[in-house]
Amino acid sequence: MPSAKDVTVDTEFLKVMSVGEPGTGKSVFAGTFPTPGYIFDFSNGIVGYRGLDFDYDQFPLGPAGWVQFEKTLMQVRKDVAEGKYKTVIVDDLSGMTDLAMERSLQLDPKRNPAGGPLWNVHFQMVKNLIEGRLRQILDMKANIVFIAHLNVIRDEESGNIIGVEPMLTGQLSTKIPAYFDEVYYHSVRKEGGETKWFVQTVPIGWNKARSRLSGKQRLLPDMIENDYNEVMAYIRGTKKKETKK
């Protein structure tokens, strides 16, 4: 049987969920991962990867889009097993969830009085569809990046922020992150008049970022440059985070 003594950062792949508002560099971060790679483009955002060595497919919104995705996933799994791709990206989870809902509405014709989905029927089907395919993707021997938009939860009366989470249907917003060792939150800010993009690796405020790779040694800084190579440099020890004096 394998031994944990033989596990290193170079024997494992980076499995990341990237969460953030639009424009915070999620796709830019994914684009820094090793290539050749593949992108499940659910958001029609392939322009953000222009010039990079990524194959991709896009999926029409409707029941046929989910069926096409499932067929494509079978082929990508084979391609990864044969060593064709080093990285697989899902961009983004909101679009993937929308397709799953379209498929669920096709499979079960029941509707609520307003003509929409039934919570205890269609949303449960979406959950099952998403979780099943998520496990198949994470099982691939490649780097995996799932991109999710940020959902800011506010109190209806006061308007105050009471939480943030990935923008997903129902319980998926808490269940999906649990599948990942690395959950990064993305942000952008001005420093000295210059715009900079960052990855947050620890929970701060409302978000629930985390890094198991960082370990007890806290190898990763709390905020790190928005680049795969920066992450790996700290994990491998070729860069050391600054210690406060």
Side-chain angles (χ1 to χ4, degrees), residues 173-241:
S173 61
T174 55
K175 291 200 69 174
I176 294 296
Y179 284 100
F180 292 85
D181 290 334
E182 308 296 295
V183 180
Y184 298 157
Y185 277 67
H186 293 255
S187 61
V188 58
R189 64 174 183 247
K190 289 276 189 180
E191 286 190 357
E194 181 182 357
T195 303
K196 293 186 177 182
W197 285 262
F198 294 94
V199 169
Q200 189 172 313
T201 65
V202 296
I204 299 175
W206 291 111
N207 80 43
K208 298 174 183 176
R210 67 170 185 273
S211 172
R212 289 185 182 140
L213 274 176
S214 190
K216 290 183 178 180
Q217 301 92 342
R218 296 282 301 277
L219 299 174
L220 290 176
D222 295 355
M223 303 289 285
I224 190 172
E225 185 180 337
N226 193 41
D227 191 292
Y228 164 87
N229 296 299
E230 282 289 299
V231 173
M232 296 310 294
Y234 282 103
I235 295 297
R236 292 185 176 119
T238 55
K239 288 186 77 168
K240 303 286 187 182
K241 68 177 184 179

Side-chain angles (χ1 to χ4, degrees), residues 37-65:
Y38 176 85
I39 302 169
F40 292 102
D41 181 17
F42 292 102
S43 62
N44 293 320
I46 199 62
V47 67
Y49 301 90
R50 61 188 181 276
L52 302 176
D53 189 11
F54 285 99
D55 295 337
Y56 70 96
D57 283 285
Q58 296 172 325
F59 308 95
L61 182 60

Side-chain angles (χ1 to χ4, degrees), residues 80-91:
V80 169
E82 293 170 0
K84 182 176 180 179
Y85 299 126
K86 297 179 180 179
T87 298
V88 174
I89 299 169
V90 174
D91 192 350

Side-chain angles (χ1 to χ4, degrees), residues 88-102:
V88 174
I89 299 169
V90 174
D91 192 350
D92 58 62
L93 273 168
S94 295
M96 183 179 177
T97 302
D98 290 343
L99 273 193
M101 177 58 76
E102 292 288 330

